Every structure is written in C-alpha cells, then in structure tokens.
Amino acid sequence: MISKPRGTRDFLPDEMRKRRTLERMFRDIAERYGYGEVKTPVFEHLELFTIKSGEGIIGEIYNFKDKGGRDLALRPELTAPVTRMVIEECHSIPRPIRFYYFDNCFRYERPQKGRYREFWQFGVELIGSDSPLADVEVISLAHTMLDKTGIEFDLNIGHVGILRDILSGVEGKNHIMRLIDKKDRAGVEDYLRKTGKDEVLEKVTSLMDMSGSAEILDEARRFTGDSDKIDHLKTVAEHLHNLEIEFTIDLGIARGLDYYTGVVFEAYAEGLGAQNQICGGGSYRLAHLFGGRDIPSTGFALGFDRIAELFEYSPEKKLMIAIISVPGFEKHALKLASKLRERFCVITDVMERSVKNQFSHASSAGCDYAVVVGRKEIETGELTIKNLNTGEQYLMTPERFIDSLIQSASE
Ligand code: HAM
C-alpha cells in the first residue's frame, strides 16, 4: 500500500463540510471589510522566501530543482507571494490594497498535533498604509473572524520595533528575539549575561514580566526615550479599547518571520496542546526586497487547521432521496432522478442491485426517502414512496411528492 506523505492529511466529506462552513464564514467577513480574494502559484522561486523570512522558515522550506535547473519552493506562507504579486501586477490598483487568500502552505516541520507539513492559512494583507488605523483594521478583522467561530482565545499585541530598539547594538539580536518570543527567560538571561549586557537584560526581563500590565508602555518609554513606536502602539491600543476588543500588550512578541517592522500580534487558543497559536500577523515592509518601491503593509494569517480542530459544528442535514429502480426500468429511474435533482439530493443505483438490496443501501446511506420506479409506477403514474425515517409507505404522483417535500421543508 502506498500511504500519504508524512505530515499530510486526507479529508473525508464530514470534515470537508465543516471546513467549508468555516471557510465561508471567513470569506464572508473578509468581503464585508472590503477585501477581495487573490490566488498565487503553489510554487515560487526559492529566493522569494530566503530573502527575509528568517532562519526558522528557511530550514523548513520544501524546495526542489525543476527540469530546467531552477530553484523553486512550495510556498511556506503567502505574505511574500502576495507582495511579489502586488509589485508585478497591481500598478494601477488604488491604495490601500485589500486582499485575502485561503490556500495551502508547506513547511518541512516535525509533524505533531496541530503541526503539519501541508496546512491551510486564511489570511489578509492591507497594503499601502503605515497608519495605526491600518493595524487597527486588520486586528479587528482577525478578532471578528475568531470571535465568530465561538472558540475561546487570547489576543496579544506587541511591537517588534520597540524590542529591536532596546536590543540595539547587542550582538545576536535576532537570536535573542527568538528566545524572547519563545518566553525562554533562562535562555535570555544566559545569553545576555555571557555577553556582559546586564543593563539590557534588566530592561528585557522587566518588560517580559510586565506583559499584560497597564504600565508596560510607560516602562518601555523609560527605556527607549520618547518614541514614535510607543505612540503608535498606544494609538492602536486606544482604538481597540474603543471597539471593545480584549487584548494583552506583550512586548515580547517577536514572531517567527524576520520581515515584521512594527505592530505584531498573535492569538492563542486553549485545548490545542503545544501548537496553540491560531493567528499571527503584523506590519512589515517587503516590497523593496523584491525590486519594488517600499510599501508599508500589514496583515495576518489564521491557522485554519487548528481552528477547524476546535470549531464545534453540527451539520445541517440535507434531505436525501434514493431512487429504487426495478431491473429494466433504469431509463425511467434516471429521468425521475434528473427531475428531482432540480431541487433535492438524489442517488440512483449504479451497482445493478436487486430492489431489496437497493432498499437496504438507501437505509444505510442515510436516505430519507426511497422512491420505487417499476412497471406499476409507470402504468399508474403514481410512485411508491417509503419514508425511511418513519417506515410509512404510500403512493403519490411525482408532482405531489415534490410539493409535499417543499411544504415539509418550509415548516
Ligand atoms: P505564521 O505565524 O508563520 O505567519 O503562520 C500563521 C499561522 O499559521 C500560525 O499562527 C499557525 O496557526 C499556522 N501554522 C503555521 N505553521 C503551521 C503548521 N506547520 N501546521 C499547521 N498550522 C500552521 C505567517 O505565515 C505570516 N505570513 C502571517 C502574516 C500575514 N503576517 C502578515 N501578513
């Protein structure tokens, strides 16, 4: 037997129904905020992802050479592809540009619960503004989407620029940011002590401890002096308070990708184990790296698979009819099925089973009605109908049967 590659999954109809419901919900909200859907290629030039994604991502890229010897990669995320597309295709679209996407991504990670090698992201990018209002818009959009799922989650907001200012001049800044991001306090202490940066260590640990406290931004201002970045984050926070969005300010959020420049945010859910991050995003500047003019942008991606895992969903049951064809009357059965399919879900026999076996299949397939088509039905114009939920059996013309179904659906 050939099985699926490690870290990938198959999805059966029940799971797909749930995923499509969630997807429709997110699409609907994104459209209400004025975002339009985009699609980029599943693979891109490897370089697109190595320029500014950060060590974490680079080690996880699925890359390969094609037959022409080009270095290509399956996309690990969509922010870099969307930025590339904007530079290549969107010269005449007025700014800001509001795009959303729902697509699969690939990362060569060690698979575990909630962490896959193929996974889906639902994301948005708001391109062309560095105003705090742009951050407020995408954070409130992420919040609205998560809220609508009914999942319990915490939202944390930080600013990578503030953290970078505090660490300015310190060797191994990116490494320390990664340790702070992982909340690895012992690792941070160890590293900064070794490099003799006790003063920086004090500031960093103090801000790590103050995560969630109302005074954290005043404390940060003491460390960095007056700063536009702190004012920016304060403005974002005020707007979010005004929108009654609950969040925690956490200046330790560094994010796994290196392209962020400003406000960053993450959402975490309970009940997922170690992989509890269900949303990540923030503001970034990538365009100049791909040969375009610098464009301030902001966005986020929801971890669709993790959210689907927590999403409680009871499928709406669709009425299903089985047409039971008496051998020799298949032609009539297929005609009736076509007519009924204008309004209802209908299955017909394709196994050339006996009438008895067609009935038992209709029951085990969860059909609500079995409708017999044979000589008697053709001669009298009345169908034999069995309600498989109640066991009742009766005769009815096709028209009356359709009317009765429409009527019971509207009750
Ligand atoms: P990210 O935090 O790397 O950000 O990914 C976003 C979300 O994708 C994560 O919060 C997580 O829920 C989900 N995710 C990541 N890796 C996996 C995996 N191996 N299996 C399942 N789910 C996973 C980005 O990708 C940025 N492009 C987000 C962004 C958009 N920033 C600005 N705009």
Side-chain angles (χ1 to χ4, degrees), residues 190-243:
D190 204 37
Y191 191 91
L192 285 171
R193 282 231 169 82
K194 263 193 217 138
T195 48
K197 297 279 181 189
D198 286 355
E199 191 199 331
V200 176
L201 174 62
E202 215 174 289
K203 292 178 182 171
V204 169
T205 49
S206 158
L207 290 179
M208 282 174 90
D209 291 343
M210 286 186 77
S211 157
S213 127
E215 286 83 44
I216 186 165
L217 289 182
D218 297 328
E219 181 80 345
R221 204 185 289 279
R222 266 203 325 113
F223 296 153
T224 61
D226 265 341
S227 131
D228 292 351
K229 293 162 191 153
I230 293 172
D231 294 341
H232 185 113
L233 185 54
K234 230 180 171 147
T235 308
V236 170
E238 279 163 12
H239 277 291
L240 295 176
H241 282 308
N242 180 47
L243 290 168

Side-chain angles (χ1 to χ4, degrees), residues 9 57 76-80 101 107 109 114-121 123-125 255-257 259-260 266-267 276-284 298-306:
R9 286 152 303 151
I57 285 273
E77 57 107 39
L78 281 116
T79 304
Y101 48 80
R107 293 185 192 175
E109 299 194 83
R115 187 159 76 186
Y116 309 101
R117 290 185 173 173
E118 185 195 24
F119 62 98
W120 273 258
Q121 284 190 346
V124 313
E125 309 297 343
R255 308 276 301 124
L257 298 146
Y259 50 62
Y260 294 101
E266 292 178 344
N276 66 346
Q277 200 193 110
I278 52 170
C279 172
S283 59
Y284 58 92
T298 175
F300 65 85
L302 301 176
F304 190 82
D305 306 272
R306 297 178 186 174

Side-chain angles (χ1 to χ4, degrees), residues 15-63:
E15 183 65 19
M16 281 313 295
R17 257 176 228 124
K18 172 171 155 172
R19 290 173 71 93
R20 289 287 185 214
T21 305
L22 205 53
E23 180 194 332
R24 270 195 297 274
M25 220 156 83
F26 292 155
R27 278 180 193 283
D28 182 49
I29 297 169
E31 302 259 350
R32 279 166 201 251
Y33 271 73
Y35 287 67
E37 186 176 9
V38 291
K39 186 77 80 194
T40 61
V42 171
F43 57 89
E44 297 269 1
H45 290 291
L46 174 63
E47 212 191 344
L48 185 72
F49 302 112
T50 52
I51 293 180
K52 197 73 183 174
S53 288
E55 326 156 26
I57 285 273
I58 290 168
E60 293 165 0
I61 286 181
Y62 261 97
N63 56 313

Side-chain angles (χ1 to χ4, degrees), residues 299-345:
F300 65 85
L302 301 176
F304 190 82
D305 306 272
R306 297 178 186 174
I307 295 171
E309 163 116 18
L310 295 172
F311 181 51
E312 284 180 20
Y313 163 74
S314 34
E316 198 184 298
K317 171 110 177 54
K318 278 213 178 100
L319 189 96
M320 181 73 89
I321 302 165
I323 307 287
I324 311 284
S325 51
V326 175
F329 289 85
E330 291 80 6
K331 211 170 67 184
H332 305 277
L334 291 179
K335 261 234 138 74
L336 178 66
S338 295
K339 188 171 169 59
L340 290 175
R341 280 188 184 125
E342 287 166 13
R343 284 180 173 270
F344 309 106
C345 306

Side-chain angles (χ1 to χ4, degrees), residues 352-377:
E352 305 197 19
R353 284 184 168 130
S354 68
V355 167
K356 182 165 168 268
N357 286 347
Q358 287 182 54
F359 263 107
S360 71
H361 175 70
S363 296
S364 57
C367 293
D368 301 286
Y369 292 93
V371 177
V372 183
V373 179
R375 179 176 304 284
K376 197 180 78 194
E377 286 75 20

Side-chain angles (χ1 to χ4, degrees), residues 53-122:
S53 288
E55 326 156 26
I57 285 273
I58 290 168
E60 293 165 0
I61 286 181
Y62 261 97
N63 56 313
F64 57 98
K65 271 199 195 302
D66 73 1
K67 289 176 181 165
R70 299 171 195 91
D71 283 308
L72 300 174
L74 298 180
R75 59 178 171 225
E77 57 107 39
L78 281 116
T79 304
V82 169
T83 305
R84 180 209 40 76
M85 181 184 66
V86 167
I87 299 165
E88 224 172 318
E89 319 274 355
C90 306
H91 306 285
S92 51
I93 299 185
R95 309 295 154 99
I97 295 176
R98 291 184 168 93
F99 285 158
Y100 78 89
Y101 48 80
F102 174 59
D103 273 309
N104 51 352
C105 302
F106 306 84
R107 293 185 192 175
Y108 197 84
E109 299 194 83
R110 200 169 45 76
Q112 63 178 84
K113 186 170 182 271
R115 187 159 76 186
Y116 309 101
R117 290 185 173 173
E118 185 195 24
F119 62 98
W120 273 258
Q121 284 190 346
F122 194 107

